[in-house]
Amino acid sequence: MNEIFRPDLLDGRVAVVTGGGTGLGLETATLLARLGAHVVIGGRRLEVAREAAASILAAGGSASAYQLDVRDFSEVESVVAQVVDQHGGLDILVNNAAGNFRCKTEDLSPNGWRTIVDIDLNGTFNCSRAAFAALSASPHVGRIISIITSYAWSGWPGCAPAAAAKAGIQSLMRTLAVEWGDRNILCNSIAPGAIGDTEGAKRIHEDAGRTDHELSRVPVGRFGSRHDIATAVAYLASPAGRYVNGTDLVVDGGRQFSFGKA
Ligand code: COA
């Protein structure tokens, strides 16, 4: 589905989407490919990434798949080098890979904490750092777009490591926006609210029996769609986003302002 953007909007770009094999990542990768980008799907499970790339190819897009655990800096560096070698450069990095689970903090093990911070925050650093030189050389102005959540600033009871990690990513994007703004790279975050039909919504709302509660607090009266997030990524990746740097684009139907709603 792309009823919004010009079909050649991202022609000639190469985009890496981490965690691009499923959910928001796959929807984003699919849209970027529809808009003309070659999309590199990175995923911990290579067969899932391959299936995603095959679905994009079958729809007429251009895509490839790589085994990528964002926690492993040398693996990230190797994937970036291969992408540059095979596709001539890198223009867009979407830091989408994330882990999360509900657990009261008093029951959380240090390794549980470390695992989420390692995937979300350290993974975002690893990918951004490894992609710096290639993004800096982009003729289209390099973009780093990191997926966070508005829980980064509200706090997230039951999901402390993810909330802290996402707050760290938000801070990292603001720092890099300044450090790398004159190095030809724009760095921004997107903060999705509750997006229906994702693993995150299932784990955080459905499994906890709080779907109706959450829905009642979304001012526009519906959960977001994966497409709502993919189009936000496309906007930031496009020439329309060329003066947007260091911001958090909140795509949550107004949910961040309704925490005090009765
Ligand atoms: N509750 C409490 N602790 C948990 C947990 C849960 N539901 N799931 C994992 N942990 C803990 C483990 O017990 C372990 O700690 P320990 O060694 O002290 O026992 C630690 O986290 C690592 O667990 P492990 O299963 O080895 O980690 P992993 O590398 O396989 O990845 C996730 C764990 C959470 C990242 C994995 O479940 C995942 O990939 N989830 C899907 C991604 C997702 O949810 N995306 C949406 C984000 S909103």
Side-chain angles (χ1 to χ4, degrees):
M1 180 169 62
N2 168 39
E3 73 285 10
I4 299 169
F5 298 107
R6 218 177 59 199
D8 63 349
L9 189 72
L10 299 177
D11 263 6
R13 272 74 156 181
V14 177
V16 168
V17 181
T18 69
T22 58
L24 291 181
L26 176 56
E27 186 84 17
T28 297
T30 302
L31 180 59
L32 298 185
R34 283 211 176 113
L35 299 175
H38 173 82
V39 176
V40 175
I41 312 251
R44 268 200 290 172
R45 291 170 295 160
L46 182 58
E47 69 283 5
V48 174
R50 281 192 173 136
E51 270 172 41
S55 74
I56 290 172
L57 289 168
S62 177
S64 46
Y66 287 85
Q67 161 78 41
L68 180 64
D69 186 334
V70 296
R71 295 174 284 193
D72 182 344
F73 185 68
S74 56
E75 188 169 270
V76 176
E77 271 191 312
S78 162
V79 168
V80 170
Q82 290 175 69
V83 169
V84 170
D85 187 48
Q86 283 167 28
H87 302 287
L90 175 61
D91 307 285
I92 302 161
L93 167 65
V94 183
N95 288 311
N96 167 77
N100 197 9
F101 50 75
R102 283 191 85 85
C103 182
K104 289 181 184 164
T105 305
E106 65 265 35
D107 297 330
L108 183 64
S109 72
N111 194 37
W113 169 273
R114 194 179 308 119
T115 298
I116 299 304
V117 172
D118 219 13
I119 298 170
D120 294 18
L121 178 56
N122 297 344
T124 297
F125 165 79
N126 287 342
C127 294
S128 303
R129 172 69 183 80
F132 168 76
L135 291 171
S136 189
S138 167
H140 306 286
V141 181
R143 315 292 165 105
I144 299 179
I145 301 162
S146 295
I147 307 300
I148 57 167
T149 162
S150 48
Y151 294 126
W153 48 92
S154 70
W156 200 354
C159 297
K166 298 290 191 179
I169 296 170
Q170 178 192 41
S171 173
L172 178 63
M173 289 302 105
R174 290 175 177 181
T175 298
L176 295 186
V178 177
E179 284 195 21
W180 294 352
D182 66 356
R183 309 297 296 275
N184 193 47
I185 305 174
L186 303 173
C187 300
N188 292 289
S189 302
I190 292 175
I195 305 301
D197 197 22
T198 60
E199 179 62 23
K202 183 181 173 309
R203 287 182 177 222
I204 304 308
H205 303 304
E206 204 179 308
D207 292 353
R210 55 190 309 282
T211 298
D212 290 344
H213 169 87
E214 177 63 22
L215 193 53
S216 73
R217 276 161 174 70
V218 182
V220 301
R222 68 168 177 88
F223 282 165
S225 70
R226 290 181 288 191
H227 198 60
D228 290 326
I229 305 307
T231 52
V233 174
Y235 160 67
L236 287 177
S238 78
R242 69 187 161 202
Y243 201 59
V244 182
N245 191 26
T247 199
D248 321 304
L249 177 52
V250 182
V251 186
D252 73 345
R255 174 69 174 95
Q256 65 170 324
F257 299 115
S258 67
F259 286 99
K261 192 178 168 197

